[in-house]
Structure formats: structure tokens, C-alpha cells
Amino acid sequence: PRETLRRYEAYSSLWHEIVAKLSDEASFNSECAKVYQEECARRSRRQLTKRLWQETTTSFVNRIACDDPRTKQRIYRAVDGLYLGPGERAITEATFAEVTRLAL
């Protein structure tokens, strides 16, 4: 029972955090732009790729999937369905925000 309550509280807290992030579009887009620009600079690239989006957001996706492999795979399939193409396909800053929003 304690473990169930702990999980419920963790999932509930995560849910509220996600809703808050998605409800403030300007802040969300600003945060995504910051991460995108930092990753481009760190990797000495003008644009990221789908594969690099996945690498950049791995811990984030694990967290929102509550470390559930099936949920994680569903998130990545949804992103692939939205943004078709190979892992080396370049993504813009706007697309980075769009696929991150979809993941949430």
C-alpha cells in the first residue's frame, strides 16, 4: 500500500508538472529554444537531427514515461509518425519544440 501511494503521488506530481508546462506556451517554447541552441552549440552543429533529439531528450522521455519501456516506445513511435524520415533528418528549432510537445 505504501508503494502504491508513493507511485500515485509521483505520477500525480508529474501530471501536474506536464500540464503546467503545456499551459504556458511562451515559456515552453522558450525553454525548448534554449535547449535546442545549447545542444547545437555543444555539438558544433547548425541543426539537430531526429536521432540527436532522441539523445538529447532521453532522460526527459524516461521520466515522463515513468521508466516504462512500452510507454517510451509509444512516445518515440508517435514522434516518428509525426516527423517521418531517417534519424539523420535535420530538425529545426520549431520542430524540436513540436516533437517535445508531442512527447509530453
Side-chain angles (χ1 to χ4, degrees):
R2 281 191 177 143
E3 178 63 20
T4 302
L5 178 60
R6 187 192 65 74
R7 280 190 193 166
Y8 172 78
E9 289 171 348
Y11 295 154
S12 180
S13 174
L14 180 60
W15 172 255
H16 290 291
E17 185 179 333
I18 290 169
V19 168
K21 282 196 183 300
L22 291 175
S23 67
D24 186 351
E25 189 169 339
S27 177
F28 177 81
N29 287 336
S30 177
E31 186 173 341
C32 286
K34 178 179 175 264
V35 170
Y36 185 89
Q37 292 163 11
E38 287 173 353
E39 284 301 309
C40 284
R42 187 173 74 81
R43 297 168 186 269
S44 299
R45 298 182 62 105
R46 290 184 55 208
Q47 287 187 311
L48 297 180
T49 63
K50 280 176 60 177
R51 181 182 55 75
L52 293 175
W53 172 86
Q54 188 172 352
E55 287 178 17
T56 301
T57 60
T58 296
S59 62
F60 165 74
V61 170
N62 284 335
R63 183 168 176 253
I64 62 175
C66 298
D67 292 315
D68 178 50
R70 291 184 309 175
T71 301
K72 191 166 100 172
Q73 283 305 106
R74 283 194 292 264
I75 290 169
Y76 288 135
R77 276 196 308 268
V79 168
D80 282 340
L82 172 71
Y83 201 67
L84 303 173
E88 292 309 309
R89 182 175 177 190
I91 62 170
T92 64
E93 188 176 295
T95 302
F96 184 89
E98 187 177 346
V99 294
T100 303
R101 180 182 276 88
L102 176 65
L104 285 172

